Amino acid sequence: MARDPRSVDRYETPDYLSKYRSRRQASDAPDAEAPTEDGTPLYLRRFRERTTASSGTETSVSYDGERFTPALAEASRGKEIAAPVERRASEKIVCEISIIRHGITQGYSTDAGLTPMGAWQAHRRGHELARRWSDGDKVLLVCADTNRARQTADQLFRGAKDGLSMWGIDAEITDKEPIPELRNFGVWTPDGLRDVTSAFRQYQATNETLERLAVGDRPRWLVEIDRFYRTQLGGADPIQEWLTIPMMYFEPPAMCVRRFWRGFHRLMVEQPGHQRIVAATHSGPMRAFATWAHGYDPGEPLNTEEIRVKMREGGRTAFVSYRNRVTEVNVPPPDEFPNWEA
């Protein structure tokens, strides 16, 4: 079935990369075979051809009680500083959580979806995640309830399925499930707490009315959100401002961190047996989470960048890794919340 050229639900390689690969294929293999009829992606066909050609000479590699082909061992090697093998047995990691920012979106002035490049990014991230999984793993896929997060989760699912098929790993991944705990940080408006992106529309309409009529004072929530968006339009970092400057009408960063942990606790209780959780969400709460864990602001997550959380047995402590730094943290209990005004 022909694809609608106007659709943005795409995960194929960007055009510049496709042209480059076409030139390479033309120079390396002028008599390349015609594509197969089953719709198998080119990279997967080439991988299977190389595996078949080298099956008689390729040996397996044994590491930490598991066996890998040299190709998979090289592809799955990460930059994370990990504990020695003899110590890992005592760590008893019961769940690994991958918190992933959405791909490149079409804009932040509305609840827009991903661009074709954003979909490609998410598909590639899902493919890379699958390399770390093992036979028998059960993966729970969750996301924030916004278009860009849901579409990111869709492409993570497709990329992971391709990766599992490519590497021959027998793992299960669920369909996406939007959960409220992964939403973006909120802004209080006269209509209640709203996502900072959806609040922008109300901010624009209210601000335009006040400027047109030129009467009355601007409400205080409008003053704060106006400051936030003017910082962004001026090329500065509005998330840093949110992290460091008290805002009376914005959800505090600490609340976002507690909300994330509350969601992860709930998922592990309600859906036991899943050794891994993949969560597609937004950069603001992610940055607050990383800042809380490491004790400094490591910077804005790139599109589809990952914060990796390894929960230890008992759920009291965890390892949080982000940008090659690993910190052991005490996990806030789900029922603990300070009563500041008592």
Side-chain angles (χ1 to χ4, degrees), residues 6 17 48 59 98 154 166-167 172 240 244 273 275 282:
R6 297 169 297 177
L17 185 55
R48 289 172 175 171
T59 58
S98 297
D154 285 335
M166 181 173 184
W167 300 111
E172 299 178 11
Q240 183 183 40
T244 56
Q275 300 93 338
H282 300 272

Side-chain angles (χ1 to χ4, degrees), residues 8 12 26 30 60 62 76 94 107 117 132 139-140 172 186 190 194 203 234 236 240 243 262 291 296-297 313 323:
V8 298
E12 64 268 19
S60 60
S62 178
S76 59
V94 296
M117 177 62 80
R132 302 204 302 251
V139 185
L140 182 62
E172 299 178 11
R194 302 186 65 171
Y203 151 74
Q240 183 183 40
L243 288 172
R262 191 163 57 246
T291 301
Y296 71 99
D297 181 9
E313 189 176 37
R323 295 186 172 171

Side-chain angles (χ1 to χ4, degrees), residues 50-69:
R50 292 194 302 268
T51 303
T52 302
S54 60
S55 59
T57 59
E58 192 174 49
T59 58
S60 60
V61 178
S62 178
Y63 179 75
D64 196 13
E66 299 186 27
R67 302 191 69 82
F68 308 87
T69 64

